[in-house]
Amino acid sequence: MSILDAKIPEGPLADKWTKYKNEINLVNPANKRNIDVIVVGTGLAGGSAAASLAELGYNVKTFCYQDSPRRAHSIAAQGGINASKNYQGDGDSDYRLFYDTVKGGDYRSREANVYRLAEVSGNIIDQCVAQGVPFAREYGGLLDNRSFGGVLVSRTFYAKGQTGQQLLLGAYSAMNRQINRGKIKSYNRHEMLDIVKIDGKARGIIARNLVTGEIERHSAHAVVLATGGYGNVFFLSTNAMGSNVTAAWKAHKRGAFFANPCYTQIHPTCIPVSGDHQSKLTLMSESLRNDGRIWVPKNIEDSIAIREGKKKPTDLSEDERDYYLERRYPAFGNLVPRDVASRAAKERCDAGFGVNKTGEAVYLDFASAIDRYGKEQANIQKLENPSAQKIYDLGRDVIENKYGNLFQMYEKIVDENPYKTPMMIYPAVHYTMGGIWVDYNLQTTVEGLYAAGEANFSDHGANRLGASALMQGLADGYFVLPYTIGDYLSKDIRTGKIPTDTPEFDQVEKDVTDRIHKLMNASGKHSVDYFHKKLGKIMWNKCGMSRNAKDLESAITEIAALREEFWADVKIPGSADSMNPELEKAGRVADFLELGELFAKDALNRSESAGGHYREESVELDGPQKGEALRDDVNFSYVAAWEYKGEPKDAVLHKEHLEFNDIELKTRSYK
């Protein structure tokens, strides 16, 4: 019998959030001054939550392992942020955003949370404009929108290819205002290493000062984790190299259920792997699929010639190219969702049509867009019989204005001019839809412990639509958590300051220091990266873009053995009581080695295909959807929430069954 309670309000879907806000308990301003909140992570979710809670009057402590909140990985988001404002007049609405998000997630997300996300999305844009975020504007001065995969409307607000950076600067400025007021105390270069519970409630954290090595105790009436995703369990991913699962995993080991760990997003437009020397991958924004057309040669001989350097992509005529997404999915074309586009690229490359030396790349071509925009600009400028070069120059200027920094980044990495030669792209690990299980209040199964943004199992089901990560992070921080956490904290107005000189803090600090000493005392010969790379290869080869029972069973065994080898044979230089980046990495990889096993266990348990989780045994065998992912709604229409029981293999599954009252469950088709 499941012990999960999602605490979803009663009533019609469109009224739930309003009804909830009308009925919650509030904390008056004088009492807020006596309540402390810890926020771990200062990206978009954490930064917006910290700023909002401090603005309301709570005393906030923020923690990040970076040297500044401005370094959070949210800064890397490129393409945009969704909101259902219908500025284009193309039929968008809160319901349409809700529907697209649930469908895009392959019907594996909670209806009530997703509708709330759509409902508050418009407020995010107003908030960010007021903060000075420089969203792109149309010629008349109104905010511009562009399209993203999986939808038929234009609802994505953007700032060139720097949307995450600009939004984070907005949240950071709001944080800074509260820091200057003394309402936020900022602890940069600090890493949370464990959660402290008192009488079953989260009442603080143990953190390590990454500059001095000192172990510190910090107490609060509630703790918010906004620490991002765990894509780096694959070693190679688009995540910043410091991105990790440690905070979420420590919370899991203290009683927070971990939900849907196998739901990982493979992003279709990344710069391909160039060799074993690589330490991370670079994302090219999905927004490029608005104007870029994806193709491979029609004839395998041309693919071979390109791989051998005997031909260039520009040598191939239009009828020698296979625009395979446009061919397979005529309704959505190049704007199919990420999981669909990723699998299609893999299928073409596995069939021998890949175009780089490793055979794992397809083309993203802007020649048609440059020509189209060039002719449009020539008409606007009333140019008669413009030359081909003039049309190219005009079109190139438009593309540069929309995506210039992305093209510049690509050229710096690949040393090819993407205006002249098609970009090469290939799928890579990006976002993680799984995470800490939370109820409608964003509270975990540990009372007083909340999770926001990518750290929770989120609103995205089995596959996130592009430009929805920034939307969810800011919705959680600005417009959801300040209400829900206030309802919980209303019971703490007479609690008083939480002391740190208690047996509970003593024990958790001892657990942390014992683990650090165990790591430092390992007398092995291999570096932390040696083990991380080995884990990454197991994960990518057996838990990556496609999965099967045999490989997943093998992965579980191999990861357990690798974890044992890690603790026996890792070598960490330096000392524990000083700055030591290798020790930081070791702790994070140790957690990845546990998460990786649970990931594989969850993937093995879910013997259906859903979104980013593609089981080779669960595929449509005939009909118009032949070859596409086959969902099993009878047996797997639930959130898998795992309870820690000592070892990942012993984790206990709890199921939150998903109900769909406002959206019909049906085959997800983009054809």
Side-chain angles (χ1 to χ4, degrees), residues 172-185:
Y172 179 61
S173 67
M175 273 185 69
N176 260 347
R177 180 169 179 268
Q178 301 305 322
I179 291 171
N180 291 336
R181 291 180 63 218
K183 296 303 294 180
I184 292 180
K185 192 166 184 182

Side-chain angles (χ1 to χ4, degrees), residues 389-427:
Q389 184 62 45
K390 184 63 176 178
I391 290 173
Y392 171 83
D393 291 341
L394 291 169
R396 184 188 186 283
D397 288 345
V398 174
I399 293 293
E400 184 175 16
N401 187 51
K402 295 178 74 171
Y403 313 112
N405 62 304
L406 298 171
F407 277 56
Q408 183 184 47
M409 184 169 67
Y410 180 89
E411 186 167 5
K412 284 181 178 293
I413 293 171
V414 181
D415 196 26
E416 283 187 356
N417 182 347
Y419 295 102
K420 297 281 189 181
T421 304
M423 288 183 181
M424 288 186 293
I425 57 168
Y426 194 70

